[in-house]
Amino acid sequence: MKKIVLSLVSLLSVSSAVYAQETTTENSNPSDFKHWQIRLRGVGVVPNESATVGVIGGDVNIANQFIPELDITYFFTKNIAAELILGTTKHNVNTVGSDISAIGGPTSTNIDLGSVYLLPPTLTVQYHFYPGKDNVVKPYIGAGVNYTIFYNEKAGNTVADIKYDNAFGIATQIGADFNITDNFFLNVDAKYIFLKTDVTVDATNLASGLTIPADVKINPLLLGFGVGYRF
């Protein structure tokens, strides 16, 4: 948590320095850009999952998903912006290659852990480039912080219950806007979020006192395409 906060503060400090430089050199006319834009994207969520599973061992599998996503961006200057990304997704989860021979099961099996919803609001600071005189294509890069809320957990038919801890993560981003008019544009975007959570599986229905801890890395890649409007 401390490293995340320090990274974000460092990023904001660099952005502030760039902002101050642009204000004195490039931004003599502060009205030559629009401050706000919104986008609606379709996003493929591809977890790059791995886990350390206690007691029964094995790994974890988290299903891919496709979701709608809304983002709101504010431009401090023509180049520096902050983007708030909003969306929610549901994932099915199961262990892979777990050993449940201690309770009379196989030495390598997959255990259904039901499903869980993720609400991962993400705030990034971006730098936008203007490589051509006509500004038809506007690429950008960004980095920031994510906070994922796990909710509506369903344990499935095998274990009694499951709990996920909410968690912070670091987000990185690259993308481009393709102008259609002064206000409307198309967008492609890729984000990678470094995210892990502590999971506790209540399996007391299988064996008395059986609780299974797991350290799960989700690390999702988010690939998006959508439309936007600036004003």
Side-chain angles (χ1 to χ4, degrees), residues 93-208:
V93 183
N94 61 270
T95 70
V96 179
S98 294
D99 181 355
I100 56 173
S101 58
I103 56 173
T107 57
S108 181
T109 188
N110 300 344
I111 299 175
D112 176 23
L113 297 180
S115 63
V116 61
Y117 282 84
L118 279 67
L119 178 64
T122 304
L123 180 65
T124 62
V125 177
Q126 303 170 333
Y127 189 89
H128 291 252
F129 301 88
Y130 297 83
K133 292 182 180 180
D134 52 8
N135 292 333
V136 173
V137 180
K138 187 179 68 174
Y140 58 87
I141 57 174
V145 65
N146 158 270
Y147 184 71
T148 296
I149 300 167
F150 297 86
Y151 69 100
N152 200 24
E153 302 96 329
K154 303 293 184 182
N157 298 320
T158 304
V159 299
D161 199 8
I162 187 167
K163 180 181 180 298
Y164 299 80
D165 289 347
N166 298 340
F168 281 97
I170 292 292
T172 59
Q173 181 181 36
I174 186 170
D177 295 327
F178 300 85
N179 292 334
I180 301 172
T181 69
D182 286 344
N183 298 96
F184 288 96
F185 58 93
L186 299 176
N187 172 260
V188 293
D189 183 89
K191 291 182 288 293
Y192 192 85
I193 300 175
F194 297 88
L195 176 66
K196 66 179 181 178
T197 179
D198 292 326
V199 181
T200 304
V201 179
D202 178 356
T204 53
N205 60 314
L206 302 178
S208 178

Side-chain angles (χ1 to χ4, degrees), residues 36-42 68-75 81-86 124 126 128 138-140 173 175-178 185-189 191 224-231:
W36 291 96
Q37 68 181 32
I38 58 173
R39 299 189 192 95
L40 181 63
R41 299 187 185 108
E69 179 197 83
L70 175 69
D71 73 75
I72 303 168
T73 305
Y74 180 79
F75 283 78
E83 179 179 286
L84 178 63
I85 303 157
L86 302 170
T124 62
Q126 303 170 333
H128 291 252
K138 187 179 68 174
Y140 58 87
Q173 181 181 36
D177 295 327
F178 300 85
F185 58 93
L186 299 176
N187 172 260
V188 293
D189 183 89
K191 291 182 288 293
F225 176 81
V227 295
Y229 179 78
R230 62 175 63 93
F231 54 97

